[in-house]
Amino acid sequence: MTTETTTRTSEVLRLHAEDAFAAELAALAAADDRPRPARWRLSPWAVATYLLGGTLPDGTVVTPKYIGPRRVVEVAVTTLATDRALLLLGVPGTAKTWVSEHLAAAVSGDSTLLVQGTAGTPEEAVRYGWNYARLLTEGPSRQALVPSPVMRAMADGKIVRVEELTRIPADVQDGLITVLSEKTLPVPELGDETQAVRGFNLIATANDRDRGVNELSSALRRRFNTVVLPLPATLDEEVDIVGRRVNQLGRSLDLPELPTGAEEIRRVVTVFRELRSGVTADGRTKVKTPSGTLSTAEAISVLTNGLALAAHFGDGMLRAGDVTAGIVGAVVRDPVADRTVWHEYVEGVLRERDGWKDFYRAAREHAH
C-alpha cells in the first residue's frame, strides 16, 4: 500500500468492513484450516468467528461484530453456502445492514456490491443498464452494457447485498426470481446471458415494520431462507452493543474517551427499553409507548451526539444534559401524542428513580 493510499484511507470517514477489519480477516484466513466453499475467503466456521468474536491460536483477538444468538449467525452463514439466498428480517435497529456488510466482507472480501432499495429503485439496479452514448454510436453490445451490482456479483462469484428489499417496487423485485432460481441473468438485447459462477449469493434485508409496503411474492420468498434478527434480549447485552459502537464511532470522529460514558449509556438504553416495551425494568409500572421505534441504532446515535456535545461544548465529561436532548428528539416524533408520552414518563418514572435526579432535571429542561 502506497503512502498516498494509506493517507487517503486514514481520512475516510467510514471504512468498508473489509478495510476496517483487514487485520482480523487476514489472521483468520491464516489460521483457518477448515474446508472453504468455492471462492470464499474463509470457511463458514471462520466467518461465524469473525462476526461473533473469539481468540485465535496465535493470540489474535477477533472483536465481535454481532452480539446475539450464535445460532442466528450460524444459520445465516450456512445459508450462504447453499443455493438459497439469505433474507435478514427484523425491526429497525437490529443490525441487519451491519450483519450483511460483515458477512459479505468475510465471505467475498468485498462488501461494496450493493443495491439500495427505495420506492424509486429502477429495474437497471438489479439487472443492467446501458451507456447511451455508446449505445447510440455502436448499437447494443457488451461494451455498451452497464452491469448492475447483481450482474457483477454473478460474474465474479461474490456476495451481493440488497438493502430494504420490501421498499423496492414489486415488478423490480421479481427481476430477482430468475437470478435466484436459474442462476442466470438474460440479456435479450444481445441474445446473451450472464451465468452465476460458484461463490455467488445474495443477502437481502427487510424491515418488519414495512410489511404491506411491497410484500414479496410467494415465488420470490421461496428463493430465500429467512433469518430473523431479534432485539437484544437483556439490558446488559444492549448496553454492550451500544457501548462498542459508540466507542468505534467516537474514535472515527476523533472524540475523546469519556470516563463517565458507561453510566450514561446504561441510562439511555434503560429509557429506550422501557419506552419500547411499555413497562419499567422492574416490571412494576406500565408506561405508554411512543410512535417511534427507539431502536438500538437510535440509542447509538443519541450517545454519539452526546459525546460530541461534551467534547466541543462541555467540560469533556459526558453528562445527562448531553444526551437528554437527543432522547427527546428520538421519542417525540408526533408533537402532540409523543410529547404527552414523554412528559408522563419523565414525571411518573424518572422523577422517583434513585440516582437519576440529574437525568430527571435535564429531561424536564429539554422537554419544554
Side-chain angles (χ1 to χ4, degrees):
M1 184 179 291
T2 66
T3 302
E4 182 181 347
T5 302
T6 302
T7 301
R8 185 182 179 280
T9 299
S10 68
E11 294 178 349
V12 171
L13 186 59
R14 184 189 183 278
L15 293 170
H16 297 303
E18 58 271 23
D19 298 323
F21 297 94
E24 291 185 13
L25 290 167
L28 275 163
D32 187 11
D33 59 358
R34 304 193 182 206
R36 306 180 188 183
R39 291 185 176 81
W40 278 41
R41 297 292 186 92
L42 300 171
S43 69
W45 171 85
V47 173
T49 301
Y50 170 70
L51 263 81
L52 294 165
T55 302
L56 302 183
D58 66 358
T60 299
V61 175
V62 178
T63 58
K65 318 302 180 299
Y66 174 73
I67 299 173
R70 182 178 185 86
R71 201 60 174 173
V72 167
V73 172
E74 291 175 343
V75 171
V77 174
T78 303
T79 297
L80 294 176
T82 71
D83 65 346
R84 289 174 68 82
L86 172 64
L87 176 61
L88 298 176
L89 187 67
V91 299
T94 46
K96 300 182 294 297
T97 298
W98 181 252
V99 170
S100 75
E101 178 184 0
H102 283 285
L103 282 171
V107 171
S108 299
D110 184 358
S111 64
T112 64
L113 295 171
L114 172 67
V115 176
Q116 180 59 59
T118 69
T121 299
E123 185 181 37
E124 291 81 2
V126 298
R127 292 174 59 80
Y128 54 86
W130 297 97
N131 179 328
Y132 287 103
R134 300 195 69 163
L135 187 65
L136 290 171
T137 58
E138 303 173 10
S141 67
R142 272 285 175 178
Q143 292 70 36
L145 185 145
V146 179
S148 69
V150 176
M151 179 179 274
R152 287 161 53 201
M154 294 174 71
D156 295 340
K158 292 184 176 182
I159 301 294
V160 62
R161 302 160 53 210
V162 180
E163 293 295 320
E164 303 291 357
L165 178 61
T166 51
R167 289 190 175 275
I168 297 176
D171 58 331
V172 178
Q173 288 179 13
D174 287 343
L176 292 172
I177 293 177
T178 302
V179 169
L180 297 180
S181 59
E182 304 298 327
K183 309 302 183 198
T184 186
L185 204 167
V187 186
E189 296 90 340
L190 302 179
D192 198 359
E193 65 182 3
T194 292
Q195 291 184 299
V197 301
R198 295 179 68 184
F200 165 75
N201 213 328
L202 184 147
I203 305 173
T205 66
N207 186 337
D208 261 354
R209 299 287 180 94
D210 284 343
R211 287 179 178 172
V213 178
N214 291 304
E215 291 191 15
L216 305 185
S217 66
S218 58
L220 182 56
R221 185 173 282 276
R222 285 198 303 272
R223 271 68 186 183
F224 285 98
N225 186 32
T226 301
V227 172
V228 178
L229 296 185
L231 287 164
T234 66
L235 173 65
D236 287 342
E237 187 177 290
E238 190 162 2
V239 167
D240 190 14
I241 294 169
V242 172
R244 289 176 185 272
R245 286 294 292 136
V246 169
N247 285 333
Q248 288 173 349
L249 289 168
R251 285 193 296 270
S252 71
L253 296 171
D254 293 327
L255 297 176
E257 294 284 344
L258 300 178
T260 60
E263 180 184 0
E264 298 307 331
I265 288 172
R266 179 167 289 274
R267 297 207 287 192
V268 170
V269 172
T270 297
V271 170
F272 273 41
R273 289 180 69 88
E274 290 181 336
L275 288 170
R276 197 164 63 208
S277 64
V279 64
T280 54
D282 59 12
R284 295 178 180 177
T285 307
K286 290 185 177 181
V287 299
K288 293 179 180 177
T289 57
S291 59
T293 56
L294 298 183
S295 66
T296 305
E298 288 172 296
I300 293 167
S301 177
V302 166
L303 283 154
T304 303
N305 188 68
L307 282 176
L309 279 172
H312 299 305
F313 297 101
D315 60 2
M317 302 285 284
L318 185 64
R319 303 183 188 281
D322 298 317
V323 296
T324 49
I327 293 177
V328 173
V331 173
V332 182
R333 302 295 176 84
D334 183 311
V336 178
D338 288 343
R339 192 168 294 280
T340 300
V341 169
W342 177 241
H343 177 76
E344 291 183 4
Y345 177 77
V346 169
E347 297 300 332
V349 176
L350 299 186
R351 183 177 184 177
E352 304 301 328
R353 183 163 282 169
D354 290 340
W356 285 55
K357 294 302 181 185
D358 60 327
F359 199 95
Y360 166 70
R361 289 192 296 269
R364 283 201 66 190
E365 178 183 344
H366 287 115
H368 301 293

